[in-house]
Amino acid sequence: MTDVRLRSRVEVERGLFMAESYEVISRAMDAGMAPRSFLMSEKWLAKFAPLYERFPEVPVYVGAESLLETLTGFHLHRGALAAMQRPQLPEVTELLRGARTVAVLEDIVDHTNVGAMFRSAAALGVDAVLVTPHCADPLYRRSIRVSMGTVFQVPWTRLEAWPAAGVGLLHEAGFDVLALALSEGASALDVVDLGPDRKVALVLGAEGHGLKPATLRAADEHVVIPMAGGVDSLNVAAASAVVFWQRKAMSSHLGR
C-alpha cells in the first residue's frame, strides 16, 4: 500500500478504494458506500463493531499488529482499514445541473493538496469538483484522510478530456471559466465579479508550473490573489481556500 503508482492503477481497475480510521469509514458508509472487507488487530474489534456489524456478510480480517504492518507497509495507528466499493462517478453534465460554483483541479498530483482542496470546497460552499484526467485520485487513502472524509460529501467526477472539451462543457452549462494564474493582465481577486448571479468555474493548476497554456487561452478571465511581502503565490490548497471564501463571501453579501 505504499506504492502510489501501483495503487492508483490497481484500485481503479478493481473498483475499490481504501478507507482508514473510524471517522472516515463511517462517513463513507453514511454516504452510501459499501465495504468489501475490514482489516484490523484484535484490540480494535470492539471500537469498530458498530461499523462492521452493519454489514454482517462482509469479512473482518484480524491479525497481529506486526503482521498487519508487514501486509500494508505501515503501522495502522488509526485502528483499521476498510476496502470499499468505489462509487460510479456521475456524468459531467449531470454534476453541473443545479450547480453555481464549481472547482476544477487541473493535474494536481499531490494527494495531500487534493484532500485539502476538497475540505475547503465542502467548508466554503463549492457545489461540485471536476478533476482533470491526470489529477491525483481523490479516493486515494491520503486524500481521503486529509479531506476528513469530505471527498464523500462534495459531488465530483473526472473529466475525460481537458481543457478544450471540458471548458466547452462548462460553457454549455452556462459557466464562466476563471483561471487562477500569475498571468499578465490578470484581475485581482478582490475586484472580480463573484456575485450570486454569475455561475463560475474556478480552475486551479498543478504545483510548480501552474495552468497549461491551452487552459489559459480557453478561460474567460484570469484571476490573481493580491500578495504582499514579496511573495508571488500560495500553495495551491491555500489558494483554493482563499478563492472559495471570496466567492462565498460575495455571494452571501450580495444575495441579502
Side-chain angles (χ1 to χ4, degrees), residues 15-19 25 28-29 33-37 82-86:
L16 61 89
F17 69 91
M18 303 300 296
I25 297 171
M29 291 181 178
M33 299 176 198
R36 292 185 178 184
S37 63
M84 308 290 296
Q85 184 71 33
R86 184 174 284 263

Side-chain angles (χ1 to χ4, degrees), residues 209-234:
H209 56 75
L211 295 175
K212 300 176 182 178
T215 301
L216 297 176
R217 291 192 296 268
D220 300 299
E221 190 172 355
H222 295 181
V223 180
V224 65
I225 300 172
M227 296 285 165
V231 178
D232 65 352
S233 64
L234 298 173

Side-chain angles (χ1 to χ4, degrees), residues 23-46:
E23 292 75 15
V24 168
I25 297 171
S26 177
R27 288 185 182 182
M29 291 181 178
D30 290 344
M33 299 176 198
R36 292 185 178 184
S37 63
F38 296 88
L39 178 68
M40 67 190 75
S41 63
E42 187 171 359
K43 73 176 183 179
W44 294 104
L45 282 171

Side-chain angles (χ1 to χ4, degrees), residues 117-130:
M117 295 169 82
F118 266 85
R119 188 173 181 180
S120 294
L124 298 170
V126 173
D127 298 312
V129 175
L130 299 175

